[in-house]
Amino acid sequence: MSTDTNRRVEQPPLAEPTTWHEIDLTVNGRPVSAQVESRLLLADFLRGRLGLTGTHLGCEHGVCGACTVLIDDVPVRSCIILAVQAAGCAVRTVESLAEHGDPLSPVQRAFHEQHGMQCGFCTPGFVMTCTAMIERTQRPDQDVVADELSGHLCRCTGYRNIRAAAEQALDERFGTREAQ
Ligand code: FES
Ligand code: FES
């Protein structure tokens, strides 16, 4: 048995030096300037630094979709992108859809009316992906809708009502499929 009780345990070296960056971006339409570490994830920046906790973190591996936000109108998983990569971009989170006291956005209302949520943990991600869909110039076909929703996991509701909510929001934006 070793008697070397004073053995010093060295810290393992960092894989890369920590560097700080000045970034400017817009978040929910407001200009934001911040100093961020190289490794700071966008999700942690939004939640921890800006207090926008509507963006949820589930898997933190880019699998569940709960952390989805829009960057320049494109759905992106904020758990696998660095805050510094959003510099110069327009980021939108679920908080941008209806400020306190505002009516729900069409997608939020559709989720409410179609019972597209239970615990709501996955909901912000679904809502942001659906928001990007209704902002397109043309209605995505059903296969595209199914494909985009398939990138999100829900552990409680099941997907039928979520799909119905997406279709309701698309119907309201583009007209019903039958009428097209
Ligand atoms: S928390 Fe980002 S994809 Fe799951
Ligand atoms: S509503 Fe609970 S995880 Fe989707």
PDB file of all heavy atoms in Angstrom, residues 56-68 77-80, ligand 1:
ATOM      1  N   HIS A  56     -35.919  24.826 -23.504  1.00  0.00           N
ATOM      2  CA  HIS A  56     -35.664  23.733 -22.573  1.00  0.00           C
ATOM      3  C   HIS A  56     -34.486  22.877 -23.005  1.00  0.00           C
ATOM      4  O   HIS A  56     -34.218  22.736 -24.201  1.00  0.00           O
ATOM      5  CB  HIS A  56     -36.914  22.848 -22.447  1.00  0.00           C
ATOM      6  CG  HIS A  56     -38.040  23.535 -21.734  1.00  0.00           C
ATOM      7  ND1 HIS A  56     -39.326  23.037 -21.686  1.00  0.00           N
ATOM      8  CD2 HIS A  56     -38.049  24.698 -21.028  1.00  0.00           C
ATOM      9  CE1 HIS A  56     -40.080  23.855 -20.971  1.00  0.00           C
ATOM     10  NE2 HIS A  56     -39.333  24.868 -20.580  1.00  0.00           N
ATOM     11  N   LEU A  57     -33.822  22.312 -22.033  1.00  0.00           N
ATOM     12  CA  LEU A  57     -32.719  21.390 -22.288  1.00  0.00           C
ATOM     13  C   LEU A  57     -33.123  20.003 -21.846  1.00  0.00           C
ATOM     14  O   LEU A  57     -33.431  19.791 -20.663  1.00  0.00           O
ATOM     15  CB  LEU A  57     -31.464  21.836 -21.528  1.00  0.00           C
ATOM     16  CG  LEU A  57     -30.626  22.903 -22.221  1.00  0.00           C
ATOM     17  CD1 LEU A  57     -29.574  23.446 -21.284  1.00  0.00           C
ATOM     18  CD2 LEU A  57     -29.984  22.351 -23.481  1.00  0.00           C
ATOM     19  N   GLY A  58     -33.157  19.073 -22.796  1.00  0.00           N
ATOM     20  CA  GLY A  58     -33.498  17.689 -22.475  1.00  0.00           C
ATOM     21  C   GLY A  58     -32.262  16.821 -22.583  1.00  0.00           C
ATOM     22  O   GLY A  58     -31.544  16.596 -21.615  1.00  0.00           O
ATOM     23  N   CYS A  59     -32.011  16.350 -23.789  1.00  0.00           N
ATOM     24  CA  CYS A  59     -30.898  15.398 -23.990  1.00  0.00           C
ATOM     25  C   CYS A  59     -29.527  16.067 -23.972  1.00  0.00           C
ATOM     26  O   CYS A  59     -28.537  15.449 -23.626  1.00  0.00           O
ATOM     27  CB  CYS A  59     -31.086  14.679 -25.314  1.00  0.00           C
ATOM     28  SG  CYS A  59     -30.925  15.780 -26.748  1.00  0.00           S
ATOM     29  N   GLU A  60     -29.471  17.320 -24.389  1.00  0.00           N
ATOM     30  CA  GLU A  60     -28.216  18.060 -24.555  1.00  0.00           C
ATOM     31  C   GLU A  60     -27.278  17.395 -25.550  1.00  0.00           C
ATOM     32  O   GLU A  60     -26.072  17.563 -25.488  1.00  0.00           O
ATOM     33  CB  GLU A  60     -27.512  18.284 -23.210  1.00  0.00           C
ATOM     34  CG  GLU A  60     -28.381  19.054 -22.228  1.00  0.00           C
ATOM     35  CD  GLU A  60     -27.662  19.433 -20.955  1.00  0.00           C
ATOM     36  OE1 GLU A  60     -26.619  20.090 -21.056  1.00  0.00           O
ATOM     37  OE2 GLU A  60     -28.161  19.063 -19.864  1.00  0.00           O
ATOM     38  N   HIS A  61     -27.839  16.626 -26.451  1.00  0.00           N
ATOM     39  CA  HIS A  61     -27.033  15.938 -27.475  1.00  0.00           C
ATOM     40  C   HIS A  61     -27.608  16.121 -28.879  1.00  0.00           C
ATOM     41  O   HIS A  61     -27.288  15.351 -29.777  1.00  0.00           O
ATOM     42  CB  HIS A  61     -26.948  14.442 -27.169  1.00  0.00           C
ATOM     43  CG  HIS A  61     -25.973  14.118 -26.087  1.00  0.00           C
ATOM     44  ND1 HIS A  61     -26.279  14.214 -24.762  1.00  0.00           N
ATOM     45  CD2 HIS A  61     -24.685  13.712 -26.154  1.00  0.00           C
ATOM     46  CE1 HIS A  61     -25.220  13.881 -24.053  1.00  0.00           C
ATOM     47  NE2 HIS A  61     -24.243  13.570 -24.870  1.00  0.00           N
ATOM     48  N   GLY A  62     -28.511  17.059 -29.051  1.00  0.00           N
ATOM     49  CA  GLY A  62     -29.050  17.286 -30.386  1.00  0.00           C
ATOM     50  C   GLY A  62     -30.065  16.262 -30.833  1.00  0.00           C
ATOM     51  O   GLY A  62     -30.351  16.150 -32.026  1.00  0.00           O
ATOM     52  N   VAL A  63     -30.655  15.520 -29.909  1.00  0.00           N
ATOM     53  CA  VAL A  63     -31.545  14.423 -30.271  1.00  0.00           C
ATOM     54  C   VAL A  63     -33.021  14.760 -30.046  1.00  0.00           C
ATOM     55  O   VAL A  63     -33.862  14.443 -30.886  1.00  0.00           O
ATOM     56  CB  VAL A  63     -31.180  13.149 -29.476  1.00  0.00           C
ATOM     57  CG1 VAL A  63     -32.165  12.027 -29.773  1.00  0.00           C
ATOM     58  CG2 VAL A  63     -29.757  12.715 -29.797  1.00  0.00           C
ATOM     59  N   CYS A  64     -33.356  15.413 -28.939  1.00  0.00           N
ATOM     60  CA  CYS A  64     -34.772  15.515 -28.545  1.00  0.00           C
ATOM     61  C   CYS A  64     -35.494  16.729 -29.125  1.00  0.00           C
ATOM     62  O   CYS A  64     -36.714  16.739 -29.195  1.00  0.00           O
ATOM     63  CB  CYS A  64     -34.897  15.527 -27.028  1.00  0.00           C
ATOM     64  SG  CYS A  64     -34.358  17.081 -26.250  1.00  0.00           S
ATOM     65  N   GLY A  65     -34.779  17.762 -29.496  1.00  0.00           N
ATOM     66  CA  GLY A  65     -35.397  18.941 -30.098  1.00  0.00           C
ATOM     67  C   GLY A  65     -35.980  19.941 -29.114  1.00  0.00           C
ATOM     68  O   GLY A  65     -36.484  20.986 -29.526  1.00  0.00           O
ATOM     69  N   ALA A  66     -35.929  19.646 -27.820  1.00  0.00           N
ATOM     70  CA  ALA A  66     -36.552  20.552 -26.840  1.00  0.00           C
ATOM     71  C   ALA A  66     -35.923  21.946 -26.857  1.00  0.00           C
ATOM     72  O   ALA A  66     -36.571  22.931 -26.514  1.00  0.00           O
ATOM     73  CB  ALA A  66     -36.448  19.962 -25.437  1.00  0.00           C
ATOM     74  N   CYS A  67     -34.676  22.028 -27.249  1.00  0.00           N
ATOM     75  CA  CYS A  67     -33.924  23.291 -27.164  1.00  0.00           C
ATOM     76  C   CYS A  67     -33.989  24.102 -28.452  1.00  0.00           C
ATOM     77  O   CYS A  67     -33.235  25.061 -28.609  1.00  0.00           O
ATOM     78  CB  CYS A  67     -32.468  22.984 -26.851  1.00  0.00           C
ATOM     79  SG  CYS A  67     -31.691  22.072 -28.210  1.00  0.00           S
ATOM     80  N   THR A  68     -34.894  23.728 -29.361  1.00  0.00           N
ATOM     81  CA  THR A  68     -34.914  24.363 -30.686  1.00  0.00           C
ATOM     82  C   THR A  68     -35.271  25.851 -30.604  1.00  0.00           C
ATOM     83  O   THR A  68     -36.246  26.238 -29.959  1.00  0.00           O
ATOM     84  CB  THR A  68     -35.928  23.640 -31.599  1.00  0.00           C
ATOM     85  OG1 THR A  68     -35.527  22.282 -31.720  1.00  0.00           O
ATOM     86  CG2 THR A  68     -35.989  24.288 -32.980  1.00  0.00           C
ATOM     87  N   ARG A  77     -30.869  23.485 -33.088  1.00  0.00           N
ATOM     88  CA  ARG A  77     -30.784  22.953 -31.721  1.00  0.00           C
ATOM     89  C   ARG A  77     -29.732  23.721 -30.938  1.00  0.00           C
ATOM     90  O   ARG A  77     -28.539  23.626 -31.236  1.00  0.00           O
ATOM     91  CB  ARG A  77     -30.443  21.464 -31.771  1.00  0.00           C
ATOM     92  CG  ARG A  77     -31.692  20.705 -32.080  1.00  0.00           C
ATOM     93  CD  ARG A  77     -31.500  19.487 -32.903  1.00  0.00           C
ATOM     94  NE  ARG A  77     -32.748  19.277 -33.595  1.00  0.00           N
ATOM     95  CZ  ARG A  77     -33.576  18.267 -33.360  1.00  0.00           C
ATOM     96  NH1 ARG A  77     -33.253  17.318 -32.534  1.00  0.00           N
ATOM     97  NH2 ARG A  77     -34.717  18.191 -33.989  1.00  0.00           N
ATOM     98  N   SER A  78     -30.206  24.472 -29.973  1.00  0.00           N
ATOM     99  CA  SER A  78     -29.288  25.379 -29.292  1.00  0.00           C
ATOM    100  C   SER A  78     -28.352  24.669 -28.329  1.00  0.00           C
ATOM    101  O   SER A  78     -27.460  25.295 -27.773  1.00  0.00           O
ATOM    102  CB  SER A  78     -30.072  26.471 -28.556  1.00  0.00           C
ATOM    103  OG  SER A  78     -30.940  25.916 -27.585  1.00  0.00           O
ATOM    104  N   CYS A  79     -28.534  23.352 -28.138  1.00  0.00           N
ATOM    105  CA  CYS A  79     -27.617  22.613 -27.254  1.00  0.00           C
ATOM    106  C   CYS A  79     -26.370  22.131 -27.984  1.00  0.00           C
ATOM    107  O   CYS A  79     -25.454  21.634 -27.354  1.00  0.00           O
ATOM    108  CB  CYS A  79     -28.317  21.421 -26.609  1.00  0.00           C
ATOM    109  SG  CYS A  79     -28.653  20.059 -27.752  1.00  0.00           S
ATOM    110  N   ILE A  80     -26.360  22.253 -29.299  1.00  0.00           N
ATOM    111  CA  ILE A  80     -25.184  21.784 -30.039  1.00  0.00           C
ATOM    112  C   ILE A  80     -24.608  22.885 -30.927  1.00  0.00           C
ATOM    113  O   ILE A  80     -23.924  22.606 -31.909  1.00  0.00           O
ATOM    114  CB  ILE A  80     -25.467  20.500 -30.863  1.00  0.00           C
ATOM    115  CG1 ILE A  80     -26.698  20.679 -31.747  1.00  0.00           C
ATOM    116  CG2 ILE A  80     -25.609  19.286 -29.960  1.00  0.00           C
ATOM    117  CD1 ILE A  80     -26.905  19.534 -32.732  1.00  0.00           C
TER     118      ILE A  80
HETATM  119  S1  FES B   1     -31.635  19.372 -25.563  1.00  0.00           S
HETATM  120 FE1  FES B   1     -31.013  19.972 -27.528  1.00  0.00          FE
HETATM  121  S2  FES B   1     -31.732  18.415 -28.823  1.00  0.00           S
HETATM  122 FE2  FES B   1     -32.198  17.710 -26.822  1.00  0.00          FE
END
